[in-house]
Amino acid sequence: MITGCGVVSPLGGGLRPFWEGLLAARSAVQPITGFPADDLDPHAAAEVRDVTPSDDDRAGAFALEATAQALADAGLEPAALDARRLGVALGTTLGGARLFERWLDGEAVGDPERIPYYAPAVRVARRLACRGPVVTPQLACASGTQAIALAADWVRNGRADVVLAGGADLLCRFVVAGFNCLRATADRARPFDVARRGLVLGEGAAVVVVEDAEHAARRHARVRGRVLGTGAAADATHMTAPDREGRGAARAMQAALADAGLDPAAVGFVSAHGTGTPYNDAMEAVAIARVFGPRGVPVNSIKGAIGHTLGAAGAFEAVLCLQVLAERIVPPTVGLAAVDPACAALDLVYGEPRPVAVDATLSTSSGFAGVNAALVLGRP
Amino acid sequence: MEVVVTGAGVVVERGAETHLRGALGLDADGSVPLGHLPEVVRGRASRAERVTQLLLAAGGRALATAGFDAAAAAETRAGIVVGTAFGCFLTNAAYQRRVAAGGQPAASPRLFAATVSNAAAGELAIAYRLGGPAVTLTAGGASGLTALGEAMEAIRAGRADVVVAAGVDATGDALAEWLAATGGAYGAPPAEAGAAVVLERTGRRGPEVCRLAGHASAFEPEPAGAAAGDGLAAAIAAACADAGVAPADIALVVSAAPPPLASLEARALAAVLGERRRRLLIPKRVFGETFGAAGILGVLAAGAEAGRGDPVLVLDVCPTGHVAALVASVPEAR
């Protein structure tokens, strides 16, 4: 069961600004102001502007804030939980990268333990005084999706009663220069659009509370949704370019559906990875059509609104799916005006929000090195 | 459900390979040995970053001993789980130093593409056409056993028929500087290693190296605290329960705690196994502190030392607070 969620997004702190911003088709993409970026080309991104600016461990601060929100949303007090049955699964691709930049430059950065990839999860786990499993999935841009999958596995297998699961990532020169040098970026993300040129980076954290059903029932918790199935697969073809046939992504989606025991027709909404790069979106169109058939299910991408939040992206998209399940409406794909003929096999939601009949959703994520992960969520 | 190890591959510092049958040592010039790999894999490996080289060298050896052929058809039911404490830390440093010095024009696409810790697993998947789940994780110095545990779960849950589980970390100047800045909490001396095993539900390809019966991972929020040890004790108890092994029957313990955490480990062992002294194996004395590789090295070292059928308890303990425990055994009839 998912009994709570917390969001620190470029659309604002908390679930409401995130969801209302998506429904209103707002884009948080602007020129970067959080660090010197004028020499970076392009230098637009979706920054978080209202969370603990004094905390120089940015990803850790995002993760702590999203965790606090998720616990409050779930009505859970960590001190009242059995610490040995409490876990953390938090994906990231950058961890303490801004601290790393400064440390490499010879600056004093305080505790160096805040730099490695495991640091945000450790910070959350120490705050909660948890004694259950604590893991940082490293599946590049599918890390947040895999974190929730891992949490669901732990709960299913009886390894934990409550797991804080999601992802956190941040913007910094390291990553903006990197995606720019790959020529993978643009000033504006236009997922699935014929004029798309590349992705726009974003930052933030999204965390959900994955809880054992009996544990949730005992405390009469409100259930936001259920993790019905998870799946992962490797392209095993290329390090940076997706398999153009979408075979790895399709296998991950099929594995998640099989794990859920659902036919594709039972899924009422697909949250695409939808980065806005020419290759990714074309690959996804092939992969989603391979699983769901041509125009078989409403699809959107939120990366035009909040940018590509890397290790947090899959977690944001899980929260999106919970909201779609609750509200039965799909936000439009910001940045999409004219669908690329190469993506015509998708029933894309754009322009206006679309009411949908939905009992199950699927979120698909892909990343560098050919990783793919998918998550099927259902109504309570 | 028990999971069978059907292949193993290890690369350790030069000289340390003599302590483990079948292990490879680094070459005399410090390079990672690649000569045992099929030509197509060797070509990829020679161009790769150090962590990837270590993983390909160890993973390739493990797959070969389990009877896999790199030229065989793609295996969509074969997965990968890699544990690494620091992943691409050294690549990140090399990449960032160029960006800091020359800005975006100096950013290297080749290096940036390798600044994800799953790059090594991706190269292994491509080299051997493994199309199942490819998961990389970090749980600090407990990454190896944690990865091995998650790989066991992938087999148990039927997500894959075969999983390459590996632990890997490379050392270098930037990491040495960072370790020094932490005040030596991680123990010494740091050493690099890659350790990989092939897991299967049944031993359908290679001979059984050992069996993995139970696992658990946990966290110590204050690992240096006077009362620390509850998390590790819970992990040991859970691993024994998962294995269906009474703690009293554990015959051999593989210790993993760096010196500052020795008392944490001792408290946890006493709490679950009682005060009776067990045979203790400390692989870090010969392999050094190998971080993400330590847990799987510990399993293989225990497999070489344990009596047949004797349950072995292997530990991973890290100053971050990450801890893990795994129960293994050597089959009665090998």
Side-chain angles (χ1 to χ4, degrees):
Chain A
M1 299 293 180
I2 294 179
T3 54
C5 58
V7 168
V8 177
S9 89
L11 291 167
L15 179 59
R16 177 177 273 192
F18 171 68
W19 177 241
E20 291 179 352
L22 292 177
L23 285 177
R26 276 204 290 276
S27 171
V29 176
Q30 294 181 32
I32 292 168
T33 60
F35 52 90
D38 288 350
D39 62 318
L40 302 175
D41 181 23
H43 58 265
E47 292 177 284
V48 170
R49 296 175 186 273
D50 58 353
V51 169
T52 2
S54 62
D55 192 331
D56 61 359
D57 172 18
R58 200 164 169 82
F62 293 159
L64 284 176
E65 169 60 22
T67 298
Q69 286 180 27
L71 287 165
D73 186 48
L76 282 171
E77 178 55 53
L81 296 171
D82 179 349
R84 293 168 302 177
R85 308 283 303 160
L86 175 62
V88 175
L90 191 75
T92 185
T93 68
L94 291 160
R98 277 205 205 176
L99 296 166
F100 182 66
E101 291 174 341
R102 289 167 46 203
W103 177 77
L104 272 182
D105 218 22
E107 270 188 60
V109 296
D111 182 2
E113 288 271 22
R114 300 182 301 165
I115 289 173
Y117 291 131
Y118 51 69
V122 165
R123 201 166 163 197
V124 169
R126 286 184 182 162
R127 177 68 64 88
L128 303 180
C130 101
R131 287 180 163 75
V134 175
V135 166
T136 300
Q138 296 274 275
L139 278 77
C141 305
S143 297
T145 303
Q146 186 65 20
I148 296 170
L150 191 58
D153 275 353
W154 291 346
V155 169
R156 274 191 205 175
N157 296 338
R159 295 179 183 277
D161 291 332
V162 175
V163 182
L164 280 298
D169 251 324
L170 78 171
L171 288 160
C172 56
R173 286 180 62 83
F174 179 106
V175 70
V176 178
F179 276 100
N180 284 356
C181 83
L182 290 178
R183 300 178 191 279
T185 46
D187 283 317
R188 190 177 160 213
R190 298 174 170 186
F192 305 107
D193 195 283
V194 69
R196 71 188 182 280
R197 294 285 180 271
L199 60 85
V200 172
L201 290 165
E203 64 180 356
V207 170
V208 298
V209 175
V210 181
E211 185 171 359
D212 174 66
E214 285 183 21
H215 192 273
R218 274 200 302 275
R219 64 185 192 87
H220 308 294
R222 177 203 52 191
V223 176
R224 282 194 171 274
R226 290 182 294 153
V227 181
L228 299 178
T230 69
D235 281 355
T237 53
H238 195 275
M239 287 301 285
T240 51
D243 174 10
R244 292 192 187 202
E245 297 299 315
R247 286 168 291 203
R251 278 202 304 279
M253 288 187 263
Q254 286 161 343
L257 288 167
D259 190 34
L262 289 182
D263 288 329
V267 172
F269 165 62
V270 169
S271 167
H273 193 52
T275 59
T277 64
Y279 283 147
N280 174 83
D281 294 2
M283 175 279 288
E284 273 200 292
V286 173
I288 292 171
R290 188 187 282 261
V291 176
F292 292 93
R295 301 183 66 80
V297 63
V299 176
N300 89 349
S301 162
I302 61 172
K303 291 189 172 68
I306 66 165
H308 188 352
T309 55
L310 304 174
F316 275 116
E317 286 146 25
V319 173
L320 162 75
C321 287
L322 292 171
Q323 285 299 107
V324 170
L325 287 165
E327 306 291 337
R328 295 182 188 262
I329 189 164
V330 175
T333 302
V334 174
L336 173 57
V339 175
D340 180 357
C343 305
L346 299 182
D347 175 12
L348 288 156
V349 179
Y350 64 109
E352 297 290 329
R354 186 195 298 180
V356 288
V358 57
D359 292 316
T361 63
L362 183 145
S363 173
T364 174
S365 303
S366 301
F368 270 8
V371 289
N372 303 278
L375 191 61
V376 177
L377 301 182
R379 290 173 63 81
Chain B
M1 184 186 89
E2 285 194 330
V3 173
V4 180
V5 175
T6 58
V10 164
V11 181
V12 290
E13 299 271 354
R14 189 168 176 77
E17 75 276 11
T18 57
H19 296 279
L20 192 61
R21 198 168 146 221
L24 300 165
L26 294 177
D27 290 340
D29 63 356
S31 56
V32 177
L34 303 174
H36 61 290
L37 296 173
E39 192 175 341
V40 61
V41 180
R42 195 162 61 239
R44 290 194 75 86
S46 65
R47 298 186 294 274
E49 303 306 308
R50 185 101 176 163
V51 172
T52 298
Q53 290 187 335
L54 287 164
L55 179 64
L56 287 173
R61 170 60 71 94
L63 284 162
T65 58
F68 273 80
D69 178 358
E75 291 269 4
T76 58
R77 296 280 303 160
I80 300 168
V81 184
V82 173
T84 177
F86 301 109
C88 48
F89 190 100
L90 298 169
T91 306
N92 292 359
Y95 162 83
Q96 175 57 26
R97 285 191 166 124
R98 291 171 70 152
V99 172
Q104 184 177 311
S108 158
R110 183 186 66 82
L111 282 178
F112 181 68
T115 63
V116 284
S117 284
N118 60 305
E123 288 281 6
L124 184 67
I126 293 168
Y128 287 90
R129 305 175 72 195
L130 308 177
V135 173
T136 301
L137 60 83
T138 178
S143 296
L145 279 195
T146 303
L148 197 49
E150 296 303 335
M152 287 173 68
E153 292 305 325
I155 296 280
R156 285 171 163 176
R159 295 187 188 279
D161 296 331
V162 181
V163 177
V164 181
V168 63
D169 268 302
T171 59
D173 290 345
L175 186 62
E177 286 170 33
W178 183 86
L179 287 167
T182 67
Y186 285 79
E192 53 188 6
V197 290
V198 174
L199 307 188
E200 299 186 58
R201 186 180 290 264
T202 58
R204 65 188 174 91
R205 288 176 196 266
E208 290 188 13
V209 177
C210 64
R211 292 185 176 195
L212 309 179
H215 75 96
S217 65
F219 190 74
E220 296 277 357
E222 294 181 50
D230 283 2
L232 181 60
I236 294 169
C240 289
D242 187 30
V245 168
D249 292 337
I250 295 291
L252 173 70
V253 174
V254 177
S255 164
L261 300 181
S263 57
L264 178 158
E265 186 181 272
R267 272 194 298 275
L269 284 168
V272 185
L273 304 190
E275 297 296 340
R276 180 168 69 85
R277 291 175 68 85
R278 302 298 202 289
R279 227 178 122 206
L280 203 63
L281 194 65
I282 309 179
K284 289 183 180 179
R285 285 186 180 159
V286 293
F287 299 121
E289 175 50 77
T290 57
F291 307 106
I296 295 177
L297 273 177
V299 171
L300 294 173
E305 287 289 322
R308 289 181 184 179
D310 285 343
V312 174
L313 175 66
V314 186
L315 304 179
D316 250 352
V317 179
C318 180
T320 54
H322 295 96
V323 294
L326 187 138
V327 175
S329 68
V330 180
E332 294 280 359
R334 275 200 275 196

